[in-house]
Amino acid sequence: MASQRGEPPGLASLCLDALASSEAPFWRAQKRHMAVLPPAIADELLCRLLASGRMSASGLEAFAACATRLRLHPGLVPQLTPEWLAYVGGLRALTRLSLHGFSRLRDGRLAPLASLAPSLRALDLSGCAALSSRAL
């Protein structure tokens, strides 16, 4: 979404910046509208919210029908709790998921992600040293 050639930011980018930096998370109350966001916009908004530190596990619920990509790492989510994994498992449009670097993530914790199997096309578990091959 960001300009690559030094051009001024576009309207979509400005709107996403405003949403991600807003003190009031009014996007949470807009579930019906969030569900029809184009995937590229939903993915970018989710990325910006995570980077801003304004996203909680329960906030993922607003993106259940529209987010197609999610990249989590310890810098964004210091502890990947069962609550986080349960909400990630509810992202039914997700096609790409990265949980890179969660070295303490264990096999049993992946169970909530099984619901993603029909839509998931790419899964990055690199750096998850505590996982065994049985987990996949």
Side-chain angles (χ1 to χ4, degrees):
M1 295 262 127
S3 174
Q4 301 293 323
R5 294 175 246 153
E7 298 171 359
L11 180 59
S13 185
L14 291 171
C15 290
L16 288 169
D17 285 343
L19 278 170
S21 63
S22 173
E23 290 297 323
F26 59 88
W27 52 270
R28 282 186 175 203
Q30 300 297 323
K31 288 181 187 174
R32 191 175 83 227
H33 295 105
M34 295 291 290
V36 296
L37 277 179
I41 299 291
D43 295 344
E44 183 65 23
L45 177 57
L46 181 53
C47 180
R48 291 179 190 209
L49 287 167
L50 283 163
S52 73
R54 296 177 189 276
M55 176 61 72
S56 65
S58 63
L60 291 175
E61 190 175 31
F63 293 87
C66 57
T68 61
R69 295 176 178 208
L70 180 61
R71 182 174 177 259
L72 297 177
H73 56 79
L76 292 176
V77 180
Q79 298 225 340
L80 194 58
T81 63
E83 179 188 21
W84 271 96
L85 289 167
Y87 280 106
V88 169
L91 297 174
R92 55 190 181 273
L94 210 60
T95 60
R96 303 176 74 76
L97 174 61
S98 173
L99 299 176
H100 172 78
F102 289 100
S103 60
R104 294 183 180 170
L105 183 60
R106 302 223 184 267
D107 293 6
R109 292 262 178 107
L110 293 181
L113 303 182
S115 63
L116 298 174
S119 63
L120 205 59
R121 301 289 176 254
L123 176 62
D124 177 7
L125 295 173
S126 61
C128 298
L131 290 177
S132 72
S133 59
R134 290 184 336 153
L136 302 177

